[in-house]
Amino acid sequence: MYMKKILVIIPAFNHGGTNRSLLNFLNTIDRTRYSIQILTMYFSGPYKEKFAHFDLLPEDFSLSPVFSFGNPFRDLGVLKGIRRLIWKIIFKTVFRKKEKKLFRFASRKYSKQGYDVVIGFQEGKASCFASEIKTEKRIAWVHCDYSNYLKITNAIDEREIYERFQHIVCVSEYTASVFRGIYPILTHRTVALHNLIDADGIIKASNDRVDFAHDCFTLISVGRMDPVKRFACIPKTAQLMKNNGCIFKWYIIGSGGEEYENIRKNIVSYGIDNEVILLGAKNNPYPYISASNLLVCPSYSEACPNVVNEAKVLHIPVVAANFPTAKEYIDNEINGFIVPIDEMADILIRLCKDRQLYARVKAKIEGFIYDNDKIIRQIEALLDGEIVCEN
């Protein structure tokens, strides 16, 4: 049987839902039918070890200069670090803001490799670079609310980039509708597919032993430290819970930065440093989720909230803010709750105090099984050039 040769491009090995969804994709897709290679544009990040188990292409030093973050020597020896630094200097002096020119130059060697499919697995630089590689088929994955992406990044009109892709995969019905609204001409190429979830892998990883003992109602929030996650709202919500007599611990898993400092200061100012605990980044958050009573997702925007699906796989109820895609993933008042952010404290107080209410929701989610089969069929149809049916 002929194995399709596929190249998947990601920006870096960072924490986050995009890379977790790719790992789930790699662990779930039929590897006897598809030969998949991974190219990261910046060869550093905490998930590097996780991707090392797959067919990972070596660092391409002509790509790394487009990323301003990171130490040029991080994760590298001295010689490779110097080589990366030299390329960064060349980029700033020769290519400057001409990323497309650099991508066109760097794409030549990948165009010669005879890939059947090239996938830009994230909006932005990964998809821009993928659009330059010559191949029979290109697929772009959009893991965000594209309208928010345009605002945050001040990106110019990218229609020309996406016109080079045969398919654009958005990770929810809502995000697909947003993308189609921005680029109506690409409506027929845009499809909504939820992320694959490696349920068996998540359950297995949740059994790792961690120091996470607690003897009270336990909440957990997981994600990158970014204003869109609204973790800075947690201290005020926790104070309302404490003032209403709730006995609880609320753990936050996520890496540092300016937002981390904002949250830390709010914890102190609201006087809940015994209740809200910052755990930092964790390569394996699943033991912490499975040992908690509740996952709380206060985000104002989520494209496809992996952590919500992962909590459901581990049979942990979810309370989420009413971001537009929430109803695609949570059956409100059945296996979780969807509430406006300013009403979140009320439902958390109820769940903490009313154990019968919590037990009812917990019982409903105990029977949850994530069904990958339909998603796999749709992805394979895309890879094989068949018609994708979303119904």
Side-chain angles (χ1 to χ4, degrees):
M1 178 188 296
Y2 175 73
M3 292 180 65
K4 283 188 177 291
K5 189 176 180 181
I6 299 170
L7 177 66
V8 179
I9 302 168
I10 57 175
F13 297 121
N14 294 333
H15 283 118
T18 297
N19 278 342
R20 289 212 309 278
S21 67
L22 177 55
L23 288 169
N24 290 336
F25 172 89
L26 295 171
N27 284 320
T28 309
I29 205 74
D30 187 351
R31 303 297 293 280
T32 66
R33 293 184 57 194
Y34 307 102
S35 172
I36 303 175
Q37 293 185 315
I38 311 299
L39 173 66
T40 181
M41 300 173 71
Y42 192 78
F43 208 82
S44 293
Y47 270 25
K48 183 177 178 181
E49 184 178 344
K50 291 180 179 291
F51 280 102
H53 302 293
F54 300 98
D55 190 354
L56 189 61
L57 295 180
E59 175 163 21
D60 187 331
F61 289 92
S62 63
L63 292 174
S64 58
V66 302
F67 293 94
S68 59
F69 58 80
N71 183 326
F73 294 89
R74 190 175 65 185
D75 298 340
L76 295 173
V78 175
L79 292 178
K80 287 186 177 180
I82 292 173
R83 187 178 175 189
R84 182 190 277 176
L85 183 60
I86 290 171
W87 261 110
K88 198 157 192 172
I89 294 171
I90 292 173
F91 174 71
K92 287 184 177 181
T93 57
V94 178
F95 292 103
R96 297 178 185 174
K97 295 183 180 181
K98 299 179 181 179
E99 280 187 7
K100 287 185 179 180
K101 186 176 180 180
L102 174 65
F103 288 164
R104 197 167 295 123
F105 167 78
S107 69
R108 294 173 184 172
K109 69 177 179 181
Y110 302 102
S111 297
K112 297 175 183 177
Q113 299 304 312
Y115 291 106
D116 297 294
V117 183
V118 173
I119 298 174
F121 203 71
Q122 185 172 309
E123 61 284 341
K125 290 178 172 55
S127 289
C128 185
F129 180 57
S131 73
E132 297 290 346
I133 299 174
K134 294 179 181 179
T135 180
E136 291 183 11
K137 176 177 292 185
R138 301 186 191 95
I139 302 174
W141 244 266
V142 177
H143 289 268
C144 66
D145 179 330
Y146 192 75
S147 61
N148 284 340
Y149 160 80
L150 291 176
K151 292 175 186 176
I152 293 169
T153 62
N154 294 317
I156 59 173
D157 188 334
E158 296 182 326
R159 190 185 76 175
E160 180 185 348
I161 293 172
Y162 283 103
E163 283 180 336
R164 301 176 190 170
F165 290 88
Q166 283 70 43
H167 301 288
I168 298 102
V169 177
C170 297
V171 293
S172 67
E173 296 291 346
Y174 171 78
T175 54
S177 68
V178 169
F179 190 88
R180 291 173 184 134
I182 295 171
Y183 301 129
I185 196 171
L186 300 176
T187 294
H188 66 290
R189 304 187 193 184
T190 305
V191 61
L193 294 180
H194 287 183
N195 288 330
L196 290 166
I197 294 292
D198 180 15
D200 291 340
I202 289 169
I203 293 169
K204 181 180 179 181
S206 74
N207 293 322
D208 285 359
R209 300 188 66 167
V210 293
D211 184 15
F212 194 59
H214 53 82
D215 56 0
C216 60
F217 196 75
T218 305
L219 304 85
I220 193 160
S221 296
V222 182
R224 69 185 186 278
M225 291 292 174
D226 187 288
V228 72
K229 301 296 183 182
R230 287 200 295 207
F231 287 172
C233 295
I234 290 176
K236 181 178 180 180
T237 304
Q239 185 192 56
L240 292 171
M241 294 177 66
K242 182 178 180 179
N243 291 345
N244 276 272
C246 294
I247 308 299
F248 67 97
K249 296 287 186 184
W250 193 332
Y251 295 91
I252 303 175
I253 291 179
S255 54
E258 183 179 345
E259 190 67 8
Y260 184 94
E261 287 304 308
N262 290 337
I263 297 164
R264 187 184 62 78
K265 290 176 183 177
N266 284 353
I267 289 172
V268 174
S269 83
Y270 282 102
I272 40 77
D273 43 305
N274 288 325
E275 286 76 24
V276 179
I277 298 98
L278 293 166
L279 294 178
K282 301 291 180 183
N283 283 342
N284 180 12
Y286 306 123
Y288 302 90
I289 296 173
S290 66
S292 301
N293 296 106
L294 203 65
L295 178 102
V296 184
C297 183
S299 304
Y300 76 77
S301 178
E302 290 282 352
C304 180
N306 278 334
V307 70
V308 169
N309 286 329
E310 291 161 351
K312 289 162 63 181
V313 164
L314 296 171
H315 300 154
I316 304 301
V318 178
V319 172
N322 58 342
F323 48 85
T325 60
K327 62 185 179 181
E328 292 186 42
Y329 303 96
I330 300 169
D331 296 323
N332 191 29
E333 299 188 18
I334 297 176
N335 59 15
F337 293 86
I338 303 170
V339 294
I341 190 70
D342 56 359
E343 297 176 17
M344 188 166 278
D346 296 335
I347 189 61
L348 294 178
I349 292 167
R350 285 179 59 199
L351 287 165
C352 186
K353 290 187 170 184
D354 187 344
R355 294 307 172 93
Q356 287 187 336
L357 172 63
Y358 175 78
R360 176 173 62 80
V361 178
K362 176 69 171 173
K364 286 290 185 181
I365 207 166
E366 289 289 347
F368 176 80
I369 298 175
Y370 196 87
D371 184 8
N372 282 318
D373 291 346
K374 178 182 175 182
I375 304 171
I376 290 173
R377 289 196 301 271
Q378 291 171 316
I379 290 176
E380 289 180 346
L382 288 176
L383 297 177
D384 296 336
E386 300 171 3
I387 296 174
V388 178
C389 178
E390 296 186 64
N391 300 317

